[in-house]
Amino acid sequence: MTSAVTQARLWYWQRISAMVLALCVLIHLAIMIYAVRGGLSAAEILGRTRGSLSFGAFYSVFVLACALHVPIGLATVADEWMGWRGPKVAVAAGFFGIAIVFMGLRAVYGVVAA
Amino acid sequence: MAKLKQWRPNKRNSHMSTNLKVKVWRGGEQGSFASYDVPRQGSQTVLDVVTYIQRHLDPSLSYRFACRVGMCGSCAMTVNGVARWTCRTHVAKVAADGRLEIAPLSNLLVIKDLTTDMSEFFDKWARAKGQFNGKQTRHDDFARVDPNSRERIAANAGIECIGCGVCYASCDVVSWRADYLGPAALNRAWTLVNDVRDTQRAERLRAVAGDAGCHACHTQGSCSEHCPKQIEPTAGIAGLKYLAAKAAIWGEL
């Protein structure tokens, strides 16, 4: 068993990140519905996102909330389905989180600053 | 509560057999179902059926019961795939087609036939610090507990548990990880952390927090769905997670 303190902290971080994600998903869906009104093209999207600090900030928060939320859930799945416990599952989940941060922020950079 | 349909031969069901087709688990961890024909009676309970088999058809059948009125919690078995108190389950409610399959409770070792080893179940109550530990002696006055306080209302919601094991047998998480404390032990811990007379709140939270404790619960609610006392261990476990989080933030865990 990992420590009670660690599990309690993982629980509230997953709760907090879930609240952030719920809000982000709603805003994301609203933006999508708004954005595709007159058809969808790469030029139109990039025209809206390039140089937009608010767009970059919003999706950076989205990515960071995912990077926090997903590995905690995956660690539980790996524990229950494959019996991974202790440092092994912590390292695997950590790498997954880092991968989400890297790929997610790279995508945000790509549509905002590149 | 839904009105129970009592079986009586009449024009509509007179084609049905007057016998129940009953399959009963025989053996230990390894075994098989044996079939019996049991006469159908009005207001017949599943425990009546098992008792009939042992007294009239096969005296070697092992099962456990005591009070027969839903107070002791010893006669729980798996009836047509669902964990139930057999003494409070009418045959008419679960065997509309005249067929019953009776097995021992899941997630517990089978001693013989319908009798399970409850040691692990109750050991987990002890691991969850399920013992009350007060500081007053017989020389002190009675503790004054406001029945309308938030803590007392929370404790009252879970206090009627009689330890039958139905929630434990219905819990998928227990079947996935054997070290999970389970809904009954956690419900007991929840009633005690809400008992203002108890002195072991911090130790108890430490005992029940963690990936074999309340944090393993997926909030699927099978325990609350199947509890014959309509207790909601799921709600108590959610409460324990919340208290554990608060304790972790304040460095008390």
Side-chain angles (χ1 to χ4, degrees), chain B residues 21-62:
Chain B
K21 298 282 181 197
V22 187
K23 284 184 177 175
V24 179
W25 182 259
R26 302 305 308 269
E29 285 296 305
Q30 305 299 321
S32 59
F33 284 97
S35 296
Y36 303 93
D37 283 350
V38 177
R40 204 160 177 184
Q41 308 280 346
S43 298
Q44 189 177 22
T45 66
V46 176
L47 184 61
D48 292 335
V49 171
V50 177
T51 301
Y52 181 91
I53 293 170
Q54 198 219 39
R55 296 199 180 164
H56 299 280
L57 304 178
D58 189 345
S60 69
L61 176 66
S62 298

Side-chain angles (χ1 to χ4, degrees), chain B residues 13-164:
Chain B
N13 63 19
S14 59
H15 64 284
M16 288 172 66
S17 164
T18 51
N19 277 348
L20 284 163
K21 298 282 181 197
V22 187
K23 284 184 177 175
V24 179
W25 182 259
R26 302 305 308 269
E29 285 296 305
Q30 305 299 321
S32 59
F33 284 97
S35 296
Y36 303 93
D37 283 350
V38 177
R40 204 160 177 184
Q41 308 280 346
S43 298
Q44 189 177 22
T45 66
V46 176
L47 184 61
D48 292 335
V49 171
V50 177
T51 301
Y52 181 91
I53 293 170
Q54 198 219 39
R55 296 199 180 164
H56 299 280
L57 304 178
D58 189 345
S60 69
L61 176 66
S62 298
Y63 67 108
R64 194 183 276 136
F65 77 99
C67 76
R68 299 181 298 163
V69 290
M71 289 179 70
C72 71
S74 61
C75 70
M77 300 169 200
T78 307
V79 182
N80 285 356
V82 178
R84 296 177 178 278
W85 289 348
T86 53
C87 71
R88 300 287 287 172
T89 302
H90 278 84
V91 169
K93 186 179 175 185
V94 290
D97 62 350
R99 292 178 189 278
L100 277 177
E101 185 185 272
I102 306 171
L105 285 180
S106 304
N107 297 335
L108 294 162
L109 287 173
V110 180
I111 298 171
K112 180 176 175 288
D113 304 335
L114 301 171
T115 314
T116 52
D117 182 354
M118 304 285 282
S119 314
E120 179 68 359
F121 174 72
F122 287 113
D123 285 349
K124 286 179 176 177
W125 284 48
R127 290 215 288 277
K129 295 215 175 289
Q131 312 88 346
F132 172 77
N133 199 328
K135 61 183 173 204
Q136 288 181 301
T137 69
R138 67 182 66 185
H139 306 297
D140 295 312
D141 193 8
F142 289 113
R144 310 273 176 217
V145 180
D146 179 3
N148 296 317
S149 64
R150 192 167 45 89
E151 288 85 357
R152 196 58 233 168
I153 290 170
N156 283 348
I159 205 74
E160 294 292 339
C161 174
I162 58 172
C164 65

Side-chain angles (χ1 to χ4, degrees), chain A residues 63-64 67 95-109:
Chain A
V63 167
L64 292 176
F95 272 117
F96 205 89
I98 291 166
I100 291 175
V101 171
F102 175 73
M103 291 191 293
L105 291 183
R106 186 167 166 267
V108 174
Y109 177 81

